[in-house]
Amino acid sequence: MCELYELCGSSPELVFSPYCWRVRLALAHKGLDFVSRPVRFTDKEALAFSGQKLVPVLRDDATTVHDSLAIFHYLDERYPESSLLGGALGESRLRLLDQFIAQDLRPALVRLLVPRVLACIDPLDRDYFRQSREKSLGMSLEAFADRDAGQAQLARALQPLDAMLKGQPWLDGAVPAAADYLIGGFFFWAWTLGEQPWPEDSPTGDWFRRLLAFCEERQGPVQRATHR
Ligand SMILES: N[C@@H](CCC(=O)N[C@@H](CS)C(=O)NCC(=O)O)C(=O)O
């Protein structure tokens, strides 16, 4: 059976990384069972076998793959039924979509979610999280986190999703596939941290509810952090 190494918070059941959720959704798509191997930010030894330090990492018998898009590619090669990517052209377009996500949706959500990540991770991970993120952001987490700016940025990032989802149930058309999981992973990030910063009553809100139901039907209830 596949093993999925994925980021967890202070409780091992609280898995929240957007990239790991992409892979959970892709495994649901393929109908593959997996064993979750939760790792905290600073559990780098648990990932040493993969030759790098980031999750998700998928172990499937003797094969180890890291990086969400590389895992999508692997799953389509190894389990060709119900394609995720739709071949080389689909894969190339998905990589382009991933660039837009990195420019648009991701920074909007980072602004909104940074305080929740800090609250939900293991206290032993907090210094590492702060130092590594402040280095890449070039400012303190407090200076970067900005609810109003994040909401405005998110509203802009959601416009193309709402436009697509007015005319079809899934981003990939009549049935969900890689684009839904690529973007959906970021919605699961917010959701598992106990947030829902998108309007519930919107095409995107309806789509997320469908995606959550799709996932929970196959993998059971999704654990969410509670606000204390
Ligand atoms: N491009 C990678 C990104 C992986 C990534 O950034 N993973 C984060 C989890 S959100 C991680 O492992 N962070 C650990 C760390 O920062 O030390 C993918 O798509 O899988």
Side-chain angles (χ1 to χ4, degrees):
M1 194 188 291
C2 293
E3 293 169 276
L4 175 60
Y5 289 77
E6 50 186 350
L7 194 62
C8 69
S10 51
S11 131
E13 287 80 37
L14 182 66
V15 290
F16 62 89
S17 151
Y19 305 102
C20 298
W21 273 103
R22 287 176 170 179
V23 175
R24 279 193 166 226
L25 293 165
L27 290 168
H29 178 100
K30 292 286 183 185
L32 292 171
D33 288 335
F34 65 95
V35 177
S36 171
R37 301 279 183 226
V39 293
R40 290 184 294 98
F41 271 108
T42 48
D43 270 349
K44 297 301 180 199
E45 266 175 40
L47 301 176
F49 71 93
S50 72
Q52 54 84 60
K53 295 181 175 170
L54 300 180
V55 286
V57 177
L58 187 77
R59 196 132 78 155
D60 188 11
D61 292 327
T63 306
T64 297
V65 194
H66 67 88
D67 186 274
S68 55
L69 282 168
I71 294 171
F72 282 17
H73 179 89
Y74 166 76
L75 289 173
D76 267 357
E77 296 266 297
R78 172 75 182 77
Y79 305 98
E81 215 166 293
S82 302
S83 177
L84 284 161
L85 298 163
L89 180 58
E91 181 164 353
S92 173
R93 288 179 179 162
L94 201 76
R95 289 191 181 282
L96 176 64
L97 179 60
D98 201 28
Q99 297 295 328
F100 281 104
I101 294 171
Q103 289 292 318
D104 231 8
L105 180 64
R106 181 179 177 280
L109 287 173
V110 173
R111 272 191 203 284
L112 291 168
L113 297 177
V114 150
R116 291 299 298 150
V117 177
L118 264 181
C120 293
I121 59 180
D122 190 295
L124 290 172
D125 280 349
R126 284 192 188 132
D127 284 350
Y128 169 82
F129 179 77
R130 177 177 286 284
Q131 280 163 23
S132 57
R133 273 43 185 187
E134 289 188 344
K135 193 170 168 207
S136 64
L137 293 169
M139 65 180 86
S140 73
L141 295 182
E142 287 70 18
F144 188 74
D146 180 334
R147 263 205 105 73
D148 290 345
Q151 282 295 163
Q153 213 176 338
L154 182 65
R156 278 194 303 276
L158 294 181
Q159 282 173 12
L161 302 184
D162 277 336
M164 281 293 281
L165 292 164
K166 265 184 199 149
Q168 59 192 56
W170 300 101
L171 296 171
D172 263 327
V175 288
D180 295 278
Y181 313 139
L182 202 80
I183 292 180
F186 279 85
F187 282 70
F188 275 76
W189 183 31
W191 181 255
T192 51
L193 291 171
E195 297 281 316
Q196 190 194 338
W198 54 89
E200 200 170 333
D201 186 16
S202 64
T204 301
D206 293 342
W207 163 82
F208 176 72
R209 274 193 300 281
R210 281 195 288 278
L211 194 59
L212 182 63
F214 161 90
C215 179
E216 291 194 324
E217 273 160 24
R218 289 157 182 83
Q219 295 175 353
V222 169
Q223 173 103 14
R224 281 188 97 188
T226 48
H227 283 262
R228 283 169 222 260

